[in-house]
Amino acid sequence: MPRLSEVIAALDALWPPSRAEQWDAVGTVCGDPDAEVTRVLFAVDPVQEIADEAVKLGADLIITHHPLYLRGTTTVEAGTFKGRVVHTLIKNDIALHVAHTNADTADPGVSDALAGALDLRITGPLVPDPTDPEGRRGLGRICELDHPETLREFAARAAAWLPPTAQGIRVAGDPDMPVRRIAVSGGSGDSLFEQVRAAGVDVFLTADLRHHPVSEARETSRPLALVDAAHWATEWPWCEQAAAQLDAVSERHGWGLRTHVSHKVTDPWTAHAPSVTPPSISGAPN
């Protein structure tokens, strides 16, 4: 069985920490470099529910997309929810490793997995990494459908093929407009509207879209059609892709690792109530 340090070296080769954004917090959060690793759990969020799942599973290592301490901390006291996660992991000899923005821009990366989940054909990155001579790495992906479909049909595709969440799928644009060329970006993507518009796509699928950026994007002379999914749902497909990548490494080295992907929905939203139009808005008398 490999030591944790050997597995981490393989993970860093897949998602080099040097390619993470400067503000990010990637890499190994806790774990003994000399400890043996036999079972690995992949998840989006390093929350208590995932730590408890790893304990029950007998995992030696959790690999998450989101950092545990993105903005740093001065305590891991068990009375805090993040401190409790740390205590659970250390007490049960479970390591935690994070691949965040270094996995977003990788080849393959988070948006490749998102495009694959939607059965889209990738033509290239949305924001190419200038250090990649092959032009394959970068943030987001530009994709195409084999046959055009309406925006309504594309949104239904996303609702059917991405993991279900309370939010579901939101759409901005004419539901009957035809779409074929698509940009996707896993996670929060409303900072990419300028690049999406320059790419000349028909629709942009991402997550965490906010009122003002969307309103401005819709009011321009070339309004963007937008599909907004839950943040967790757009990044969960990466867990399956990443597990397959580690499986390939394990097979190549003869490690015999057993990889698992958590299916626990850690999206923070838990319910959705459809809107009911108040009489004062519908035009009925007050």
Side-chain angles (χ1 to χ4, degrees), residues 209-226:
L209 294 182
R210 298 168 296 160
H211 175 88
H212 292 295
V214 170
S215 177
E216 292 168 5
R218 292 296 305 156
E219 293 298 326
T220 62
S221 58
R222 294 171 51 212
L224 287 174
L226 302 165

mmCIF file of all heavy atoms in Angstrom, residues 209-226:
data_model
loop_
_atom_site.group_PDB
_atom_site.id
_atom_site.type_symbol
_atom_site.label_atom_id
_atom_site.label_comp_id
_atom_site.label_asym_id
_atom_site.label_seq_id
_atom_site.Cartn_x
_atom_site.Cartn_y
_atom_site.Cartn_z
ATOM 1 N N LEU A 209 -25.323 32.710 -9.968
ATOM 2 C CA LEU A 209 -25.545 33.961 -10.689
ATOM 3 C C LEU A 209 -26.336 34.940 -9.827
ATOM 4 O O LEU A 209 -27.359 34.595 -9.243
ATOM 5 C CB LEU A 209 -26.276 33.694 -12.002
ATOM 6 C CG LEU A 209 -25.456 32.893 -13.018
ATOM 7 C CD1 LEU A 209 -26.244 32.708 -14.312
ATOM 8 C CD2 LEU A 209 -24.121 33.568 -13.310
ATOM 9 N N ARG A 210 -25.835 36.197 -9.779
ATOM 10 C CA ARG A 210 -26.429 37.236 -8.934
ATOM 11 C C ARG A 210 -27.271 38.191 -9.763
ATOM 12 O O ARG A 210 -27.084 38.329 -10.969
ATOM 13 C CB ARG A 210 -25.323 38.004 -8.209
ATOM 14 C CG ARG A 210 -24.486 37.155 -7.259
ATOM 15 C CD ARG A 210 -23.248 37.897 -6.800
ATOM 16 N NE ARG A 210 -22.351 38.180 -7.927
ATOM 17 C CZ ARG A 210 -21.413 39.117 -7.918
ATOM 18 N NH1 ARG A 210 -21.272 39.906 -6.854
ATOM 19 N NH2 ARG A 210 -20.642 39.296 -8.959
ATOM 20 N N HIS A 211 -28.190 38.870 -9.075
ATOM 21 C CA HIS A 211 -29.166 39.723 -9.749
ATOM 22 C C HIS A 211 -28.512 40.779 -10.642
ATOM 23 O O HIS A 211 -28.831 40.880 -11.830
ATOM 24 C CB HIS A 211 -30.051 40.415 -8.711
ATOM 25 C CG HIS A 211 -31.006 41.408 -9.307
ATOM 26 N ND1 HIS A 211 -32.262 41.062 -9.769
ATOM 27 C CD2 HIS A 211 -30.878 42.752 -9.549
ATOM 28 C CE1 HIS A 211 -32.856 42.139 -10.251
ATOM 29 N NE2 HIS A 211 -32.043 43.176 -10.134
ATOM 30 N N HIS A 212 -27.642 41.610 -10.092
ATOM 31 C CA HIS A 212 -27.120 42.743 -10.862
ATOM 32 C C HIS A 212 -26.269 42.318 -12.056
ATOM 33 O O HIS A 212 -26.479 42.832 -13.173
ATOM 34 C CB HIS A 212 -26.347 43.700 -9.936
ATOM 35 C CG HIS A 212 -27.238 44.407 -8.954
ATOM 36 N ND1 HIS A 212 -28.208 45.310 -9.349
ATOM 37 C CD2 HIS A 212 -27.313 44.323 -7.610
ATOM 38 C CE1 HIS A 212 -28.845 45.754 -8.278
ATOM 39 N NE2 HIS A 212 -28.319 45.179 -7.213
ATOM 40 N N PRO A 213 -25.332 41.381 -11.918
ATOM 41 C CA PRO A 213 -24.589 40.957 -13.110
ATOM 42 C C PRO A 213 -25.487 40.341 -14.177
ATOM 43 O O PRO A 213 -25.287 40.587 -15.375
ATOM 44 C CB PRO A 213 -23.592 39.927 -12.556
ATOM 45 C CG PRO A 213 -23.410 40.298 -11.127
ATOM 46 C CD PRO A 213 -24.759 40.787 -10.683
ATOM 47 N N VAL A 214 -26.489 39.575 -13.756
ATOM 48 C CA VAL A 214 -27.397 38.962 -14.736
ATOM 49 C C VAL A 214 -28.241 40.024 -15.414
ATOM 50 O O VAL A 214 -28.428 40.016 -16.636
ATOM 51 C CB VAL A 214 -28.287 37.898 -14.068
ATOM 52 C CG1 VAL A 214 -29.386 37.440 -15.015
ATOM 53 C CG2 VAL A 214 -27.444 36.715 -13.625
ATOM 54 N N SER A 215 -28.762 40.965 -14.622
ATOM 55 C CA SER A 215 -29.565 42.042 -15.202
ATOM 56 C C SER A 215 -28.776 42.830 -16.239
ATOM 57 O O SER A 215 -29.262 43.115 -17.339
ATOM 58 C CB SER A 215 -30.060 42.975 -14.093
ATOM 59 O OG SER A 215 -30.782 44.062 -14.625
ATOM 60 N N GLU A 216 -27.535 43.153 -15.910
ATOM 61 C CA GLU A 216 -26.691 43.890 -16.849
ATOM 62 C C GLU A 216 -26.370 43.058 -18.090
ATOM 63 O O GLU A 216 -26.346 43.575 -19.212
ATOM 64 C CB GLU A 216 -25.407 44.319 -16.142
ATOM 65 C CG GLU A 216 -25.650 45.371 -15.061
ATOM 66 C CD GLU A 216 -24.445 45.590 -14.158
ATOM 67 O OE1 GLU A 216 -23.383 44.986 -14.447
ATOM 68 O OE2 GLU A 216 -24.570 46.352 -13.180
ATOM 69 N N ALA A 217 -26.146 41.758 -17.900
ATOM 70 C CA ALA A 217 -25.846 40.889 -19.033
ATOM 71 C C ALA A 217 -27.040 40.762 -19.969
ATOM 72 O O ALA A 217 -26.879 40.607 -21.186
ATOM 73 C CB ALA A 217 -25.427 39.506 -18.533
ATOM 74 N N ARG A 218 -28.240 40.852 -19.407
ATOM 75 C CA ARG A 218 -29.454 40.729 -20.233
ATOM 76 C C ARG A 218 -29.835 42.044 -20.901
ATOM 77 O O ARG A 218 -30.585 42.047 -21.881
ATOM 78 C CB ARG A 218 -30.623 40.255 -19.352
ATOM 79 C CG ARG A 218 -30.499 38.838 -18.833
ATOM 80 C CD ARG A 218 -30.518 37.817 -19.942
ATOM 81 N NE ARG A 218 -31.715 37.973 -20.768
ATOM 82 C CZ ARG A 218 -31.821 37.564 -22.034
ATOM 83 N NH1 ARG A 218 -30.784 37.009 -22.636
ATOM 84 N NH2 ARG A 218 -32.944 37.714 -22.694
ATOM 85 N N GLU A 219 -29.345 43.171 -20.391
ATOM 86 C CA GLU A 219 -29.747 44.467 -20.926
ATOM 87 C C GLU A 219 -28.775 45.024 -21.958
ATOM 88 O O GLU A 219 -28.996 46.102 -22.492
ATOM 89 C CB GLU A 219 -29.889 45.480 -19.774
ATOM 90 C CG GLU A 219 -31.032 45.174 -18.815
ATOM 91 C CD GLU A 219 -32.391 45.213 -19.498
ATOM 92 O OE1 GLU A 219 -32.574 46.029 -20.419
ATOM 93 O OE2 GLU A 219 -33.263 44.409 -19.114
ATOM 94 N N THR A 220 -27.715 44.311 -22.273
ATOM 95 C CA THR A 220 -26.762 44.789 -23.271
ATOM 96 C C THR A 220 -27.343 44.621 -24.674
ATOM 97 O O THR A 220 -28.379 43.979 -24.871
ATOM 98 C CB THR A 220 -25.441 44.015 -23.176
ATOM 99 O OG1 THR A 220 -25.691 42.634 -23.449
ATOM 100 C CG2 THR A 220 -24.825 44.158 -21.798
ATOM 101 N N SER A 221 -26.655 45.178 -25.661
ATOM 102 C CA SER A 221 -27.127 45.074 -27.045
ATOM 103 C C SER A 221 -27.070 43.637 -27.554
ATOM 104 O O SER A 221 -27.778 43.283 -28.493
ATOM 105 C CB SER A 221 -26.286 45.980 -27.955
ATOM 106 O OG SER A 221 -24.917 45.632 -27.876
ATOM 107 N N ARG A 222 -26.197 42.821 -26.931
ATOM 108 C CA ARG A 222 -26.123 41.394 -27.267
ATOM 109 C C ARG A 222 -26.361 40.599 -25.990
ATOM 110 O O ARG A 222 -25.431 40.110 -25.367
ATOM 111 C CB ARG A 222 -24.758 41.052 -27.866
ATOM 112 C CG ARG A 222 -24.473 41.685 -29.214
ATOM 113 C CD ARG A 222 -23.021 41.473 -29.635
ATOM 114 N NE ARG A 222 -22.631 40.074 -29.531
ATOM 115 C CZ ARG A 222 -21.409 39.655 -29.229
ATOM 116 N NH1 ARG A 222 -20.454 40.533 -28.939
ATOM 117 N NH2 ARG A 222 -21.133 38.375 -29.185
ATOM 118 N N PRO A 223 -27.630 40.478 -25.584
ATOM 119 C CA PRO A 223 -27.925 39.845 -24.297
ATOM 120 C C PRO A 223 -27.496 38.377 -24.257
ATOM 121 O O PRO A 223 -27.666 37.642 -25.236
ATOM 122 C CB PRO A 223 -29.441 39.989 -24.164
ATOM 123 C CG PRO A 223 -29.937 40.180 -25.551
ATOM 124 C CD PRO A 223 -28.868 40.912 -26.285
ATOM 125 N N LEU A 224 -26.929 37.984 -23.118
ATOM 126 C CA LEU A 224 -26.532 36.599 -22.924
ATOM 127 C C LEU A 224 -27.720 35.774 -22.442
ATOM 128 O O LEU A 224 -28.498 36.220 -21.598
ATOM 129 C CB LEU A 224 -25.429 36.507 -21.872
ATOM 130 C CG LEU A 224 -24.032 36.982 -22.246
ATOM 131 C CD1 LEU A 224 -23.125 36.932 -21.018
ATOM 132 C CD2 LEU A 224 -23.460 36.142 -23.372
ATOM 133 N N ALA A 225 -27.857 34.573 -22.987
ATOM 134 C CA ALA A 225 -28.774 33.591 -22.408
ATOM 135 C C ALA A 225 -28.008 32.840 -21.323
ATOM 136 O O ALA A 225 -26.853 32.454 -21.518
ATOM 137 C CB ALA A 225 -29.276 32.631 -23.474
ATOM 138 N N LEU A 226 -28.634 32.674 -20.176
ATOM 139 C CA LEU A 226 -27.944 32.125 -19.010
ATOM 140 C C LEU A 226 -28.729 30.974 -18.396
ATOM 141 O O LEU A 226 -29.963 31.019 -18.327
ATOM 142 C CB LEU A 226 -27.745 33.219 -17.962
ATOM 143 C CG LEU A 226 -26.952 34.436 -18.436
ATOM 144 C CD1 LEU A 226 -27.127 35.593 -17.464
ATOM 145 C CD2 LEU A 226 -25.483 34.082 -18.605
#
